[in-house]
Amino acid sequence: MEDILKVGVLTSGGDAPGMNAAIRAVVRTALNRGMEAYGIRRGYQGMIEGDIIKMDSASVSGIIQKGGTILQTARCMEFLTYEGRKKGYDQLHSFGIDAVIVIGGDGSFTGASIMSKEFDIPFIGIPGTIDNDLYGTDYTIGFDTALNTVVHAVDNIRDTASSHGRIFFVEVMGKEAGFVALQSGIASGAEGILIPEEKGQIEKLRKYLAERARLKKSSIILVAEGEDEGGAIAIANKIKTEFPSFDIRTTILGHIQRGGSPSAYDRVSASRMGVAAIEALIDDQKSIMVGLVNGEIVHVPLNKTIKLHKDVSRDLLAIADLLI
Ligand code: ATP
């Protein structure tokens, strides 16, 4: 390991609460292990532009409770090209950075994996996305906070829905994955959960509306944005025409789900993964993601997390069905 003296850290893709706790853990562990730590601002864009700052212990003080990412994040098209990645490598080289910790989702890990093969520089991934849709880890940073934000919002909607006897379609994040909708649906006692992974839920919803909705004071239907029928507005419009006597409303929670102070669970898990990422470098690992499986730290090849698909839990789907 004596080769790695300067480690860079960046956040990339969508921001997620808890990323700051991971940055803090990476920086402080690196310093404690005798390395220098560098913050690469705005993800791969900042790498290409050399927007890189040396970090000391004080530079990550007072950030653990903050949402978003102090390093900022970006989506960088130039990094999709060899020329872009070469510019990034040249910048890293000019700062003497010999390993990079990437906090992000599968797109960010794809970029890391390609660059590490082209330029022989170790990359370690830390899963940071509110969607929780990465293969090889039970949990991604930000998911727990996003769930709590959604549950809090749905509890509020429930108050007004039951006062007026309304049916609310609530759209939550998840273009390709229904993890947020499924777990927040269970946690908020939703009467329907529509997610991209599970077909036939709309038929169950119709049956529920026809047979049981009138018996309840209110109904909340959680819809993942990537659901097949086209999102909450499209589904609500369709259902309105089929059930004209119901008072139906729609709420799209949107970016409120990304922000906010991270939950204790997100802070602790992000801290564990940040420490594990530096320990992995010390152990000569490269092109891996650190993750959490059954509460324990695991190392997963970046290639696997990119290529393989994480399924929603059949157990949770069954529980959601049983409890409606
Ligand atoms: P989220 O799950 O929050 O969307 P993500 O990491 O998947 O996070 P993306 O926008 O897909 O977010 O990717 C982030 C950045 O990673 C991209 O803007 C780009 O710079 C880089 N990236 C993504 N895919 C590739 C690729 N195939 N080759 C090189 N770089 C890539």
Side-chain angles (χ1 to χ4, degrees):
M1 197 301 295
E2 56 267 14
D3 295 335
I4 295 173
L5 297 173
K6 297 186 180 184
V7 62
V9 57
L10 62 84
T11 48
S12 171
D15 62 302
M19 280 181 161
N20 285 327
I23 295 167
R24 172 179 178 270
V26 165
V27 169
R28 291 207 169 151
T29 310
L31 297 175
N32 274 317
R33 294 302 201 146
M35 300 172 184
E36 288 180 16
Y38 289 81
I40 302 166
R41 301 181 70 249
R42 293 177 293 118
Y44 295 124
Q45 192 64 44
M47 183 192 283
I48 287 172
E49 293 172 15
D51 191 0
I52 297 173
I53 43 170
K54 192 168 180 196
M55 299 188 83
D56 59 15
S57 191
S59 64
V60 290
S61 285
I63 66 169
I64 198 166
Q65 77 282 11
K66 290 189 175 148
T69 158
I70 59 158
L71 291 176
Q72 298 191 283
T73 183
R75 303 200 197 261
C76 171
M77 299 311 285
E78 202 178 349
F79 204 74
L80 300 180
T81 66
Y82 174 81
E83 291 70 29
R85 294 188 293 274
K86 170 81 169 65
K87 278 190 203 166
Y89 176 74
D90 289 343
Q91 291 287 2
L92 293 179
H93 192 68
S94 72
F95 280 83
I97 293 172
D98 36 29
V100 179
I101 310 289
V102 174
I103 307 167
D106 62 342
S108 305
F109 293 170
T110 304
S113 173
I114 295 171
M115 187 168 172
S116 72
K117 281 183 203 130
E118 289 169 340
F119 299 103
D120 194 27
I121 180 160
F123 275 82
I124 305 287
I126 296 178
T129 163
I130 62 165
D131 293 334
N132 201 28
D133 58 350
L134 274 169
Y135 177 88
T137 184
D138 292 341
Y139 158 83
T140 59
I141 294 170
F143 178 59
D144 185 64
T145 305
L147 275 186
N148 283 297
T149 302
V150 171
V151 170
H152 182 64
V154 173
D155 287 349
N156 288 358
I157 290 169
R158 177 74 80 179
D159 289 343
T160 175
S162 59
S163 300
H164 288 270
R166 285 177 177 152
I167 296 174
F168 265 86
F169 287 80
V170 181
E171 184 173 298
V172 299
M173 287 209 174
K175 282 202 180 79
E176 278 139 43
F179 295 95
V180 173
L182 179 57
Q183 293 209 29
S184 60
I186 292 172
S188 59
E191 280 73 20
I193 300 172
L194 304 176
I195 60 175
E197 295 93 333
E198 188 69 353
K199 312 299 164 201
Q201 296 299 105
I202 188 92
E203 280 316 315
K204 283 185 193 158
L205 175 63
R206 286 194 177 99
K207 197 165 178 308
Y208 162 78
L209 291 171
E211 295 173 3
R212 293 175 46 220
R214 280 188 204 293
L215 304 174
K216 297 222 180 184
K217 285 204 186 97
S218 64
S219 298
I220 304 278
I221 315 301
L222 276 193
V223 184
E225 60 185 334
E227 200 279 337
D228 282 357
E229 308 280 329
I233 293 176
I235 294 178
N237 285 338
K238 199 180 280 185
I239 295 293
K240 265 182 208 166
T241 59
E242 294 173 31
F243 297 89
S245 64
F246 282 127
D247 187 359
I248 293 175
R249 302 295 160 110
T250 309
T251 300
I252 296 176
L253 293 186
H255 283 80
I256 194 173
Q257 296 162 88
R258 280 205 184 280
S261 180
S263 67
Y265 187 80
D266 269 325
R267 297 182 200 191
V268 173
S269 304
S271 300
R272 290 180 70 191
M273 291 199 264
V275 172
I278 295 295
E279 300 294 351
L281 273 183
I282 291 168
D283 290 341
D284 260 349
Q285 300 276 352
K286 51 173 154 179
S287 292
I288 58 133
M289 173 191 81
V290 296
L292 278 172
V293 172
N294 296 328
E296 299 295 329
I297 291 286
V298 293
H299 295 172
V300 189
L302 280 183
N303 271 343
K304 258 188 155 175
T305 70
I306 296 160
K307 286 193 189 127
L308 298 179
H309 179 74
K310 179 169 164 185
D311 291 323
V312 284
S313 155
R314 305 312 302 176
D315 287 350
L316 287 181
L317 278 170
I319 287 168
D321 264 358
L322 264 176
L323 299 184
I324 284 168

